[in-house]
Amino acid sequence: MKREKVKGKRGKTNPTSFAQRLLEWSDVHGRHDLPWQMDRSDYRVWLSEIMLQQTQVGTVIDYFQRFTARFPDLDSLAKADLDEVMALWSGLGYYARARNLHKTARICVESHGGRLPDSAEELQQLPGIGRSTANAIVAQAHDQRAVILDGNVKRVVARHAAIEGWPGRSAIARVLWKEAEIRTPPDRARDYTQAIMDLGSGICRPRQPACQQCPVGSDCMALRKGLVTELPGKRPRRTRPEKTTTLLLIEDDQGRLLLKRRPPTGVWGGLWCLPEISHPDSDPDKKPVEPLLTLRHDFTHFRLHIRLVRSGLNEASIEEGEHHAWMKYDQALATGLPRPVRTMLEALS
DNA sequence: AAATCGGGGAG
DNA sequence: CTCCCAGATTT
């Protein structure tokens, strides 16, 4: 069913294809001045695509500028200490992205001649690069025709084709990939992928979509059916559990703090953190310790209550090593810390 | 198929 | 408060 080639099927008022109308719109209204859109290299495109995973453009820009200033190319990143990479990523979240970024840089230097692969198939074999990201990289960096399906495209396509159901379900995602494929034109791959994301971001928004200004509104099935704000389907609700943890503020006589490196997997994997103890508030014999401060931190699937407690650990029992270190405040703030830990240390310094 | 993995922007 | 963001990986 090559719908875009059977123009008559979409009505006489729409003589041009989805892609053509979208491209004409984006030539005027699209974004053309983002940092990764200038001085375009596959390295910078790759880095931007990783940072932008589940992260808004406005949040990424500063991180991208700092990161590329320190690591301007693949080789400098491959040579770097993982700790420094994590420090530059600190606060951005989803820290597996940073570990995979570093790992991928080293793989490319060791096994790909110091270059990122230029095919989507090879890119997708690298850690942290999935189907959509691999395709986005070849489209943006090499102007290759490739289908992407990020949050923006899911929303645009789900509405334009009136696909009901939550895109997180694989059956729905499969249909969305197909509909995205149908709409992807043979030419102008770079401009088209940027255009459909700009449409999703600027016009086909999650709330208050500007359908009146939409270049593909005339044949949008959700608009015809009055389903625009209903689509795409929402993630099923779930009550978020609440957890409590206690972090320890342990200072030596020089005012240095004890930091521990978290295991490479799990929450805040690979970051430096204050020593953590499982909440002892279930012990009825001990009177509760008054925390220095408490903090609430929300994750996607649970809420964490953090208590910060001053503790006097015997310093002689702590050896400097891979998994713990004594740091001054400014030194600690320069390392890869989880956001709430950074917030607490800034409040105390 | 479902859970995990951060943090923030914006209604 | 809510939803969701240029998703990938693990279970």
Side-chain angles (χ1 to χ4, degrees):
Chain A
M1 301 287 271
K2 299 176 182 174
R3 286 174 42 185
E4 75 277 22
K5 301 216 170 183
V6 188
K7 294 175 182 174
K9 276 208 165 185
R10 271 211 317 276
K12 304 174 181 70
T13 55
N14 297 307
T16 59
S17 69
F18 177 91
Q20 188 172 335
R21 282 174 283 154
L22 187 48
L23 283 162
E24 287 172 7
W25 169 84
S26 79
D27 287 340
V28 180
H29 298 101
R31 293 174 293 191
H32 303 94
D33 54 353
L34 295 169
W36 42 90
Q37 292 179 308
M38 43 197 75
D39 186 18
R40 210 185 293 256
S41 66
D42 56 355
Y43 170 78
R44 289 166 61 87
V45 169
W46 165 57
L47 173 63
S48 72
E49 292 298 336
I50 301 300
M51 284 189 166
L52 286 161
Q53 287 170 0
Q54 297 291 285
T55 311
Q56 294 180 356
V57 169
T59 303
V60 163
I61 289 176
D62 286 344
Y63 283 89
F64 181 84
Q65 303 283 34
R66 281 198 300 273
F67 201 98
T68 53
R70 175 62 185 87
F71 302 123
D73 52 39
L74 197 59
D75 195 56
S76 58
L77 178 57
K79 285 188 169 75
D81 252 14
L82 178 57
D83 267 342
E84 191 177 358
V85 176
M86 300 308 292
L88 281 166
W89 208 274
S90 177
L92 196 54
Y94 284 147
Y95 297 96
R97 294 184 294 174
R99 295 194 302 275
N100 286 332
L101 195 79
H102 187 243
K103 190 182 303 178
T104 287
R106 294 199 163 171
I107 290 172
C108 289
V109 166
E110 291 169 11
S111 308
H112 291 82
R115 300 269 309 161
L116 282 162
D118 55 6
S119 77
E121 290 73 20
E122 292 175 279
L123 283 167
Q124 202 177 335
Q125 302 307 310
L126 296 166
I129 302 179
R131 180 178 177 186
S132 186
T133 298
N135 285 352
I137 292 171
V138 300
Q140 295 291 339
H142 307 304
D143 207 20
Q144 291 177 29
R145 182 187 182 279
V147 182
I148 64 168
L149 193 66
D150 66 341
N152 290 310
V153 180
K154 285 174 185 169
R155 188 167 53 255
V156 170
V157 169
R159 287 172 174 172
H160 193 256
I163 308 298
E164 301 188 47
W166 178 49
R169 288 171 41 183
S170 55
I172 307 298
R174 200 160 52 241
V175 176
L176 292 176
W177 272 108
K178 178 63 178 173
E179 294 293 334
E181 154 73 27
I182 287 170
R183 288 165 175 74
T184 304
D187 303 313
R188 293 191 67 182
R190 174 183 294 155
D191 293 338
Y192 175 79
T193 58
Q194 186 63 49
I196 194 168
M197 288 189 288
D198 288 349
L199 186 77
S201 167
I203 301 288
C204 197
R205 300 182 290 250
R207 283 169 293 199
Q208 298 182 351
C211 298
Q212 211 61 264
Q213 308 167 44
C214 181
V216 294
S218 58
D219 54 349
C220 176
M221 297 310 294
L223 188 55
R224 288 185 192 177
K225 296 182 175 182
L227 292 175
V228 173
T229 56
E230 309 296 324
L231 300 180
K234 293 174 184 172
R235 165 193 292 272
R237 295 211 108 79
R238 192 173 305 273
T239 58
R240 271 186 328 187
E242 304 203 7
K243 304 179 182 180
T244 302
T245 191
T246 299
L247 300 182
L248 302 178
L249 189 73
I250 305 173
E251 284 181 300
D252 67 6
D253 50 12
Q254 303 175 44
R256 295 181 307 179
L257 292 166
L258 182 61
L259 278 291
K260 288 191 70 177
R261 187 198 297 278
R262 297 183 63 87
T265 60
V267 171
W268 300 330
L271 296 186
W272 290 90
C273 189
L274 293 170
E276 180 181 16
I277 56 176
S278 50
H279 49 100
D281 46 20
S282 57
D283 189 341
D285 293 336
K286 295 198 173 181
K287 52 184 174 186
V289 182
E290 190 64 22
L292 288 171
L293 57 90
T294 63
L295 200 63
R296 193 182 73 189
H297 187 73
D298 288 328
F299 292 82
T300 302
H301 43 290
F302 65 95
R303 166 169 290 177
L304 184 63
H305 298 275
I306 305 173
R307 314 187 321 139
L308 180 63
V309 172
R310 184 178 291 282
S311 172
L313 190 69
N314 179 7
E315 297 137 28
S317 68
I318 301 297
E319 297 285 336
E320 193 85 12
E322 276 293 299
H323 297 294
H324 40 266
W326 293 96
M327 300 186 196
K328 297 188 176 183
Y329 274 88
D330 55 349
Q331 188 183 357
L333 290 171
T335 67
L337 299 173
R339 173 62 82 194
V341 176
R342 180 173 300 281
T343 299
M344 289 189 297
L345 294 188
E346 284 172 350
L348 292 172
S349 61

